[in-house]
Structures are given as structure tokens and as C-alpha cells.
Amino acid sequence: GDSVTQMEGPVTLSEEAFLTINCTYTATGYPSLFWYVQYPGEGLQLLLKATKADDKGSNKGFEATYRKETTSFHLEKGSVQVSDSAVYFCALFSPGNTPLVFGKGTRLSVIA
Amino acid sequence: GAGVSQSPSNKVTEKGKDVELRCDPISGHTALYWYRQRLGQGLEFLIYFQGNSAPDKSGLPSDRFSAERTGESVSTLTIQRTQQEDSAVYLCASSRVSGQIYNEQFFGPGTRLTVL
């Protein structure tokens, strides 16, 4: 079945550091890919998405590019802030399979 | 507007007791999902409702788990004879019509269940 693998956390960075959270997937079809974020005490929120190969999703300074050749969707941000501290989940949606398939999540802590 | 709400936010129960978790989806969203997030794990799909269609129960881990939804509104997830391994955060999400096209799922804040 479909699956998502993302790098284990926790990740601790200093403010203004560069962030990469790796995500790779396995899917039988042609999935859409997502990054969700869960801030402390809040529900999951969609951060960005990409629906076809080479698409780049971006939001709040975060970016991720849908790479079909490497089945990857790595999350990047050039300069993190303390307010980016959260748990980040990579997920996929395969047409016809209505639930999202999630990775295990990566906890990011940004220190001033 | 109002988002997805869930109650209670926290529930502590004793092993063997039954619990009910409630989800109020966004008005107008016909699709409703339940997921479970155990410590250190990703989100596991439990059950999916779409309009008046039969629910997709393929993710329910055992027959102790059941869920109902009244029309296109409130859903209740029931866990009977709770076990310690049921301890998790239970998340509800809703979306517009689902199927072949992805429609963004909006998540509630979750219910943290602790089984002692």
C-alpha cells in the first residue's frame, strides 16, 4: 500500500538557520503530496501542497518540490523563526483512496 | 467561520470502560474522517463517512471501535472496553466531497485519550 517516510526528529535549530525535513513516498498511482503543520495546542493545518511532478508548493517561506524521479517531497525553509516550532507531517493522497496517508511527523524546535 | 470542533479535549478513563468522542464538522462538509495519532507514530486512518454512503471502516483496529454519523453533521467515535494501547490523540477532519479529487481536509484539535 501507499506509505510516507519522513526523517525522524526532533530537530533543534537556531533562529535563522536553514531547515530541511526529508520526505519520501511510495504510491501505486500518481498522488498529490502535502505538508501539514501542528502548532502546540492546535489542530493540524495544511501548510503547502503539490499535485503533479515538478510542482513547487510554497507558503510562509516554506517550500517543497514534487520530485517523481526520487519519489520525494522535502520541506525547506531558508531562515527559520521561533514561531516555526511545531510538528510537521508529510502526507499523500492517492485518487480513489480518500484518507490521507501520513508520515510519523517531525518535531522542530527553533531556539532564539 | 467555525472550524472542526471535538470534545472532550482530554479524557482519562480506566481500562475496560467505554468512551465516546464527539466531532462537529464544518457546516456543509459532506466528508468526515477519524484518525488516531499514537505517541511517536503518524496519523492512522480509522473511518470515513461520505454523505449517505456506507462508511469506510477499513481502518478500525478492532470490533471494539465503532462510529456513527447523523446525516452530514455530528459524528461519535465509540471505543468499548478500552485498553491501554488505545491511548492516543483522536483527530477528526472534514472536507467537501471527496473521491478522485483531493479536497482539503480541515482538522479539529483532537481528543487526547489516556487509558489507565
Side-chain angles (χ1 to χ4, degrees), chain A residues 20-89:
Chain A
T20 300
I21 300 178
N22 290 338
C23 171
T24 57
Y25 67 90
T26 302
T28 53
Y30 203 164
S32 296
L33 302 173
F34 308 88
W35 279 98
Y36 275 80
V37 59
Q38 187 174 33
Y39 297 105
E42 299 184 16
L44 277 171
Q45 303 172 26
L46 180 63
L47 178 61
L48 53 83
K49 67 180 180 183
T51 58
K52 60 182 187 295
D54 300 326
D55 263 4
K56 178 185 285 188
S58 61
N59 186 25
K60 299 182 180 181
F62 291 88
E63 293 183 339
T65 301
Y66 190 144
R67 300 287 187 200
K68 192 168 187 294
E69 64 276 15
T70 55
T71 61
S72 66
F73 193 55
H74 304 321
L75 182 68
E76 296 182 336
K77 186 173 185 181
S79 176
V80 293
Q81 305 300 312
V82 172
S83 57
D84 295 326
S85 297
V87 181
Y88 292 83
F89 293 89

Side-chain angles (χ1 to χ4, degrees), chain B residues 28-89:
Chain B
H29 281 190
T30 58
L32 186 147
Y33 311 78
W34 283 98
Y35 295 87
R36 177 172 71 174
Q37 183 179 15
R38 288 191 284 191
L39 189 64
Q41 304 295 313
L43 276 73
E44 304 169 70
F45 164 71
L46 297 177
I47 188 169
Y48 156 68
F49 295 90
Q50 170 59 41
N52 294 318
S53 301
D56 176 355
K57 303 180 182 180
S58 60
L60 294 179
S62 78
D63 59 7
R64 296 187 293 105
F65 287 72
S66 63
E68 294 185 348
R69 187 181 187 192
T70 306
E72 295 182 354
S73 60
V74 172
S75 176
T76 303
L77 176 69
T78 300
I79 309 173
Q80 295 178 309
R81 306 181 302 283
T82 52
Q83 303 295 313
Q84 288 182 332
E85 63 262 27
D86 298 335
S87 296
V89 176

Side-chain angles (χ1 to χ4, degrees), chain A residues 36 46 89 93 98-100 103, chain B residues 35 37 42 45 98-99 102 104-105:
Chain A
Y36 275 80
L46 180 63
F89 293 89
F93 173 80
T98 46
L100 290 165
Chain B
Y35 295 87
Q37 183 179 15
F45 164 71
S98 187
Y102 177 76
E104 182 177 349
Q105 295 181 21

